[in-house]
Amino acid sequence: MSGYTLDAETARDRLSSEFGRAKETMAVVWQDTGAKFGLVILASFVFIGLFGPYIAPYHPIEDTLRRQGAMMRLTAPSGKALLGTTSFGKDVLSQFLAGARPTLIIGLFGGIGTGILGFLVGLTSGYFGGRIDEFLMRLTDLTFALPLLPMALLILSFVSPNVWLITVVLVIFLWKMPARVIRSEVMTVKERTFVKSARARGAGHLRTMFLHVAPNVLGIGFLYTAYAVGWSIVAGASLAFLGFGDPTTTSWGRMLQQVFRSGAIRVAWWWVLPPALGIAAVTTSVFLVGRAFEEIVNPELQTEEQ
């Protein structure tokens, strides 16, 4: 049997220590003005994504607004339609509120999936080295060589796009950057004394990887997961704008595609600004939070700015 064991009490102590460190990190992030602003915007985005369809005044697709029997086409903001209407008489506010949910799903799950996959690939590659590292890094190089949008468009051309399929496609092409960075960090951490000591005491590879190496690179993993949320939102909106979004749902990218196809993009500012500003605000907020977190993960950035 292995001479190295980890009892339940020790495991609880480690988990408690990690949660405590996470709370301290969030407290430091909250002190950053830009990050605080970003967290408020992100919390609002999550709220709208969860409850937007329920608080929307009209159904974003089925309801057509009319005034004195005539369809309200491209009507500027008014009491009946606070953000105006589309060329099809649909309420822009309702589409904006309902469109936050697909955007949230693609951004959140695309970012988390990208972070987890990139973390696992980088951790495995950096820890084992040798042929495993060679194989995984050549696979990463191949992913770098394949441009995201053209390849995603190619894949989605042969299937019926939906929010979850688009999320999976984005994860397949976005995990490469976190994997590269995590691998570099792991190759440094695995040479430290405490890792070699764990191996000398009989710890197996999986135990060493996940209990000794992984906690020391989690910060980088969380950082790139946050960035991946922004990447996923922009990529998902780009695919929807090009006509490869989920045709059964309303999203912010799809709103921009519809206003462009209607020819009213230079006229109906009330139709353009809500989704455009929504995407810009959320992605900017993600990077503001990521920047503050990056200063914690990489203290050299704080030194350079002082």
Side-chain angles (χ1 to χ4, degrees):
M1 294 179 60
S2 169
Y4 181 86
T5 59
L6 180 69
D7 55 38
E9 184 176 354
T10 303
R12 283 196 299 268
D13 289 342
R14 289 192 178 183
L15 286 174
S16 177
S17 176
E18 291 298 325
F19 279 122
R21 188 163 62 176
K23 289 176 62 176
E24 293 176 0
T25 299
M26 289 305 300
V28 174
V29 170
W30 185 252
Q31 294 176 1
D32 185 281
T33 304
K36 189 182 299 185
F37 173 79
L39 288 172
V40 171
I41 295 296
L42 290 176
S44 302
F45 172 56
V46 172
F47 176 82
I48 295 175
L50 293 175
F51 302 105
Y54 304 109
I55 61 178
Y58 305 98
H59 192 285
I61 298 176
E62 295 178 0
D63 291 343
T64 300
L65 302 189
R66 297 179 180 275
R67 179 180 293 161
Q68 298 178 350
M71 184 183 298
M72 296 174 60
R73 295 180 181 272
L74 294 178
T75 303
S78 62
K80 189 172 184 178
L82 296 180
L83 290 182
T85 63
T86 72
S87 60
F88 304 102
K90 311 300 181 181
D91 182 47
V92 173
L93 176 60
S94 299
Q95 291 197 344
F96 176 78
L97 294 173
R101 177 173 292 180
T103 307
L104 173 65
I105 292 174
I106 291 175
L108 182 62
F109 289 96
I112 292 175
T114 296
I116 292 176
L117 181 57
F119 186 87
L120 292 176
V121 171
L123 178 64
T124 304
S125 179
Y127 178 82
F128 286 105
R131 293 183 178 179
I132 294 178
D133 179 43
E134 182 72 17
F135 171 76
L136 291 176
M137 286 302 100
R138 296 297 75 77
L139 183 61
T140 306
D141 291 339
L142 176 62
T143 310
F144 269 107
L146 299 175
L148 169 60
L149 284 180
M151 294 306 300
L153 293 177
L154 178 63
I155 294 173
L156 296 175
S157 297
F158 294 96
V159 295
S160 178
N162 61 69
V163 171
W164 297 105
L165 179 60
I166 293 171
T167 302
V168 171
V169 170
L170 293 180
V171 170
I172 291 173
F173 289 99
L174 289 176
W175 62 269
K176 53 196 176 185
M177 186 62 74
R180 279 286 193 187
V181 177
I182 294 296
R183 171 184 176 269
S184 299
E185 293 293 320
V186 169
M187 292 181 71
T188 300
V189 172
K190 75 174 184 179
E191 299 300 327
R192 294 180 183 174
T193 304
F194 67 89
V195 176
K196 294 182 177 180
S197 175
R199 290 289 297 144
R201 286 182 289 156
H205 288 302
L206 290 179
R207 187 185 298 273
T208 304
M209 282 175 58
F210 289 102
L211 293 182
H212 297 282
V213 177
N216 289 277
V217 295
L218 270 180
I220 296 292
F222 283 132
L223 173 62
Y224 275 85
T225 298
Y227 285 152
V229 171
W231 301 337
S232 299
I233 290 174
V234 172
S238 299
L239 290 173
F241 181 78
L242 294 173
F244 289 84
D246 188 340
T248 64
T249 62
T250 297
S251 68
W252 291 349
R254 186 168 171 79
M255 288 177 68
L256 292 174
Q257 182 221 20
Q258 290 177 338
V259 67
F260 178 78
R261 292 182 60 184
S262 71
I265 194 167
R266 298 181 183 274
V267 178
W269 56 267
W270 59 86
W271 192 1
V272 178
L273 287 182
L277 292 179
I279 293 170
V282 173
T283 53
T284 301
S285 300
V286 168
F287 285 104
L288 286 174
V289 175
R291 177 62 181 176
F293 191 73
E294 189 173 12
E295 293 181 359
I296 299 173
V297 175
N298 187 5
E300 294 180 0
L301 292 176
Q302 295 177 339
T303 304
E304 292 174 359
E305 293 177 355
Q306 293 175 354

